[in-house]
Amino acid sequence: MSAAEPVLKPDHAARRPHFIFTEEHERLRESIHAFVVKELAPHAERWEEETFDDWVFPRMGELGFLGLSMPEAYGGQGGDYPCNLVLAEELVHAQCGGLAMGLAVHTDMATPPILAFGTEEQKQQYLAPAIRGQKISCLGITEPDAGSDVAGIRTRAVKDGDDYVINGSKTYITNGHRADFIVLVTKTDPDAGYDGFTLFLVDMDAPGVTREKRLEKLGMHASDTALLAFQDVRVPASAALGEVGKGFYHIMWELQGERLIGAAGCVAGAQRVFDQTLEYARSRTAFGRPIGGFQVTRHKFAEMATKIEAARQMVYTTAWRFMNGEYPVREISMAKVFSARVAVEVADECIQIHGGAGYMREYGVERVWRDMRLNRIGAGTDEIMLEVIGRSYGL
Ligand SMILES: Cc1cc2nc3c(=O)[nH]c(=O)nc-3n(C[C@H](O)[C@H](O)[C@H](O)COP(=O)(O)OP(=O)(O)OC[C@H]3O[C@@H](n4cnc5c(N)ncnc54)[C@H](O)[C@@H]3O)c2cc1C
């Protein structure tokens, strides 16, 4: 061993973007971050009380943030999937989970099926204005009697001449009160099993559509959540989105992107509350020293950091496969259940580290916990994710 051998020291503060992100993504990250901190975060407290303002959509449309990976032909930015991850990650800095969810429903849940399955006319009528932020979208899968069991939905669309007539109800619909249109999951042939579902694009001001109730909830207060009724809603056959009878498969495809973007939001949300709590643990003293100096607290941070990093790597690697044309349903389900659990555990531990302050609204940590808790339920519960993973092994 030579005496001149260099001493290697880890640089823990170094920023090393994951390989799925390029310089261009990092520039996008900076510009979204600046926008979020300057134009969205200042309203977070009011939005918790009143739900977020509709102007967010046209403003983000103007900045190009609602169609980052959508084709330029429809007003999108023509970027790739990591651009969507960047948006989901940076939105956590608004400190307003309901806002991030309302936007994600629009950008990553309701509009991708229009691009994937829509006709040119539907893309011009719904997708292009949605990307501009001039039309707000929502997605209607869940019903009062069927959530996890999507195949059990009862909303019917019955052919009547050149039209379809829709009857049924949907619940827990994010953006349901503010939306201009809904991507609606219906049954067109109840006897055809999985081949009896059809998606429709329905204008929310169509006769027979009623926004029945504004639902109160544990967290995500900045988002609006609706109970919707559809009574003899008449739509032309051209309102069918994708192939008639193939709606179940279309929505299962949609759910993969929804779960992955939700997982990315969980990791970013966990990281943000971790960072905030780290600052707190450095400055708050007890028994004559910073609380972060107690080994038990240090180990809590070590555990949290390790879990966040594991979740992040899982999300990025799965996203990389997804953007390269694979359909990694098992890994997306793993990323979704793992990230959601990590986010809730981290938020809970951060409340603990804050002590009484963690329980106070002023610090915002309890809000993170309340908002994050949804991720173990929405877009497929933990139990359903474990079912998907378990069944993928032939069990
Ligand atoms: C704030 C919020 C926003 C939402 N936004 C939307 C939206 O915009 N659009 C939309 O369509 N939906 C939305 N949802 C609905 C959400 O996706 C459903 O709540 C979720 O899929 C679970 O369905 P459920 O509530 O009917 O629960 P259920 O399906 O009734 O499940 C109840 C419990 O039973 C368990 N369970 C069910 N089946 C099984 C099984 N086979 N094996 C083991 N356990 C099982 C579940 O895991 C759960 O713990 C939203 C929900 C919330 C709370």
Side-chain angles (χ1 to χ4, degrees):
M1 221 176 152
S2 127
E5 199 169 32
V7 175
L8 287 176
K9 283 192 177 171
D11 178 5
H12 296 301
R15 279 208 69 230
R16 290 181 197 83
H18 191 270
F19 70 79
I20 62 169
F21 297 115
T22 61
E23 278 292 311
E24 222 171 301
H25 293 122
E26 293 314 306
R27 279 198 296 277
L28 175 69
R29 187 181 294 285
E30 279 167 26
S31 80
I32 295 178
H33 187 88
F35 161 74
V36 167
V37 170
K38 184 164 174 258
E39 299 190 36
L40 302 180
H43 305 285
E45 294 305 323
R46 180 170 60 80
W47 288 345
E48 276 298 290
E49 304 300 327
E50 302 171 6
T51 73
F52 73 90
D53 296 331
D54 283 353
W55 60 253
V56 172
F57 285 95
R59 175 65 180 138
M60 287 184 67
E62 186 188 348
L63 294 169
F65 295 159
L66 297 182
L68 290 170
S69 62
M70 290 287 179
E72 289 171 16
Y74 305 109
Q77 302 299 304
D80 54 12
Y81 191 68
C83 296
N84 295 32
L85 296 179
V86 168
L87 178 66
E89 291 176 343
E90 293 311 313
L91 276 173
V92 303
H93 297 287
Q95 300 185 47
C96 192
L99 166 76
M101 179 170 75
L103 289 167
V105 163
H106 183 77
T107 54
D108 288 84
M109 303 177 197
T111 51
I114 310 177
L115 178 68
F117 312 117
T119 60
E120 186 53 34
E121 200 185 338
Q122 289 171 335
K123 288 174 189 170
Q124 296 298 345
Q125 196 182 340
Y126 293 100
L127 183 62
I131 290 171
R132 289 195 297 271
Q134 286 163 353
K135 275 190 179 174
I136 301 172
S137 59
C138 64
L139 174 68
I141 307 173
T142 308
E143 300 186 356
D145 293 320
S148 303
D149 181 13
V150 176
I153 65 155
R154 293 191 191 156
T155 296
R156 284 290 315 273
V158 177
K159 193 99 176 35
D160 183 33
D162 290 340
D163 299 337
Y164 280 89
V165 177
I166 301 173
N167 279 285
S169 65
K170 296 285 171 186
T171 196
Y172 309 147
I173 306 307
T174 304
N175 293 344
H177 286 282
R178 66 177 88 230
D180 296 292
F181 70 91
I182 184 167
V183 174
L184 189 68
V185 184
T186 72
K187 254 185 194 166
T188 35
D189 184 353
D191 300 324
Y194 293 128
D195 292 317
F197 293 77
T198 303
L199 307 186
F200 284 92
L201 284 163
V202 180
D203 290 320
M204 291 292 286
D205 60 3
V209 179
T210 311
R211 305 175 210 239
E212 285 205 320
K213 204 168 161 189
R214 203 171 269 275
L215 301 167
E216 304 274 332
K217 49 199 189 294
L218 173 73
M220 298 292 194
H221 288 170
S223 66
D224 72 79
T225 309
L227 172 64
L228 304 173
F230 299 84
Q231 196 176 12
D232 295 329
V233 179
R234 186 169 282 277
V235 294
S238 61
L241 176 61
E243 220 179 302
V244 172
K246 297 294 176 225
F248 188 82
Y249 308 103
H250 293 341
I251 213 63
M252 286 301 134
W253 171 85
E254 179 282 326
L255 279 169
Q256 303 314 314
E258 173 170 348
R259 288 169 182 163
L260 202 45
I261 215 70
C266 284
V267 174
Q271 184 68 57
R272 206 202 63 74
V273 74
F274 174 97
D275 292 342
Q276 178 186 342
T277 307
L278 193 57
E279 285 293 306
Y280 187 80
R282 285 188 176 125
S283 60
R284 173 76 179 176
T285 55
F287 298 96
R289 65 166 104 160
I291 56 169
F294 298 117
Q295 189 185 48
V296 66
T297 313
R298 195 158 55 235
H299 285 195
K300 281 182 200 284
F301 280 105
E303 294 271 12
M304 291 192 290
T306 305
K307 287 178 186 169
I308 294 171
E309 190 58 26
R312 180 182 289 121
Q313 296 302 330
M314 197 182 258
V315 169
Y316 287 168
T317 307
T318 307
W320 183 80
R321 290 181 59 186
F322 192 54
M323 67 189 259
N324 282 296
E326 288 183 54
Y327 193 51
V329 171
R330 177 197 290 167
E331 288 73 13
I332 289 174
S333 308
M334 289 173 169
K336 202 269 184 189
V337 65
F338 188 69
S339 306
R341 286 179 169 185
V342 165
V344 175
E345 277 174 38
V346 166
D348 188 65
E349 202 66 285
C350 288
I351 291 177
Q352 195 66 21
I353 294 169
H354 273 81
Y359 207 74
M360 298 296 130
R361 283 188 63 169
E362 182 189 345
Y363 288 81
V365 184
E366 54 83 41
R367 184 195 300 169
V368 179
W369 182 87
R370 286 187 289 104
D371 289 352
M372 285 297 165
R373 189 62 183 78
L374 172 66
N375 292 292
R376 295 188 51 202
I377 298 169
T381 63
D382 282 9
E383 293 75 20
I384 293 301
M385 293 305 94
L386 296 175
E387 271 297 288
V388 173
I389 298 162
R391 282 171 189 262
S392 74
Y393 291 99
L395 296 172

